[in-house]
Each structure stands twice: as structure tokens, then as C-alpha cells.
Amino acid sequence: MAKSTDSLNKKLLQAAITATKASDVKKLVEAGADINVHNEWGLTPVMLAAQYNHCVAVLKALVELGGDIHEAEPKYRSNALHLAANNSDNPKVIEALLAAGANIDARNYLGETALIMAVNNNSETKIATQLIKSGADINVCDYQGHSVLDYAKAVKKTYLINLLKSNGAK
């Protein structure tokens, strides 16, 4: 890889996290940055934006430029939706990924869906709420047999327990 391309790719990976305008990432891709470049942990710009950037316009631009929303990182096999559900505090990130075609019930290597990850790991209940409103399977179990409701009970999220039960979770 040419030194200038390597530099552009590093800038794109950083911009995926910190950019506040879609034009910031568009300029880097137009200059030759690889839209699906991986950082040292195997994360792409789309994964980084989904997980860390609250500016939905940046995520949408990365997807429109050809960023792969289905690719999974190598360690846990989590995709951009999993990562957003795990860490984002912006439900619009979830909406944008689903609008772009993300599989709401895709599983990582533990059998966790985005909803399981949101309930178990994300302190923002609005992320799990958005996934439920968007049609996530509320009765799914991970590969250890734990349901979404089991995780909500384990982390004592009363609001989500009630929401799940009112929607028919078992």
C-alpha cells in the first residue's frame, strides 16, 4: 500500500469516530481512502462510526460510499449493528443501520443479537427500545440458552423487563 493511501486510510478510520460532517469522510474516500479498510482490531469505518460517532450523517455517508454494514469484526464476529447496540447512545444510529439493510436479528459468535447486546451491555434503554420498536425478536436466546428477558432481569432493567413482557416476551 502506498504511503499516501495508508495515511488516508488512517485518517478515515479516525474520521469515522470524530467527524461531525459527512463531507469530512467523503473527501477522504474521494482522495483514495479505502472505505472498508480495517484497523488493528479488524474494525472498519462503518463499525467505528456505528459504535462511537453520534453524528448519523457520517455513518450514512460511509454506507452510501460503499461501507459494508454486514461485515463482522474478527474476534466476536459482531457487525456494525451489534457494535452500535453495545455502545451507542443514539437510536438514530440503529435506525440508519436498519434502513441500510442491517439484519436486526443477526448473531455474533456467542449467538447474541443486537437486542441481547443492548439489553445486557448498553446503559441507554432507548437503544433496546428502538430495536424492539423496529421488530427485533424479543424471544431470541443466545447459544447458552439465555433470553433477552433473562438478560434484562440479570441487569435489573425494570423498564425493559416491563416493555419486553408487555410485548409478549417469555
Side-chain angles (χ1 to χ4, degrees), residues 23-126:
S23 60
D24 294 343
V25 294
K26 286 180 181 177
K27 288 175 188 171
L28 290 166
V29 172
E30 288 167 1
D34 179 358
I35 191 67
N36 290 307
V37 66
H38 295 87
N39 69 8
E40 59 271 27
W41 298 286
L43 301 176
T44 66
V46 168
M47 291 177 195
L48 292 168
Q51 191 170 17
Y52 299 117
N53 196 323
H54 305 292
C55 180
V56 178
V58 171
L59 174 63
K60 287 180 176 179
L62 290 167
V63 171
E64 288 167 7
L65 291 164
D68 187 351
I69 61 167
H70 302 290
E71 185 171 352
E73 50 82 22
K75 187 172 184 181
Y76 298 105
R77 306 300 305 151
S78 294
N79 63 30
L81 185 60
H82 289 117
L83 297 171
N86 192 60
N87 200 57
S88 180
D89 64 0
N90 186 350
K92 294 194 180 298
V93 169
I94 302 298
E95 290 176 13
L97 289 167
L98 293 173
N103 178 350
I104 198 166
D105 292 318
R107 294 173 179 263
N108 66 13
Y109 92 109
L110 295 171
E112 297 169 327
T113 62
L115 180 57
I116 289 174
M117 292 181 79
V119 169
N120 195 36
N121 302 318
N122 197 319
S123 62
E124 295 289 340
T125 57
K126 60 188 173 185

Side-chain angles (χ1 to χ4, degrees), residues 132-154:
I132 293 166
K133 286 180 181 176
S134 297
D137 184 349
I138 60 170
N139 288 308
V140 69
C141 292
D142 64 16
Y143 295 152
Q144 296 176 346
H146 301 114
S147 71
V148 178
L149 187 56
D150 292 337
Y151 280 111
K153 289 176 180 177

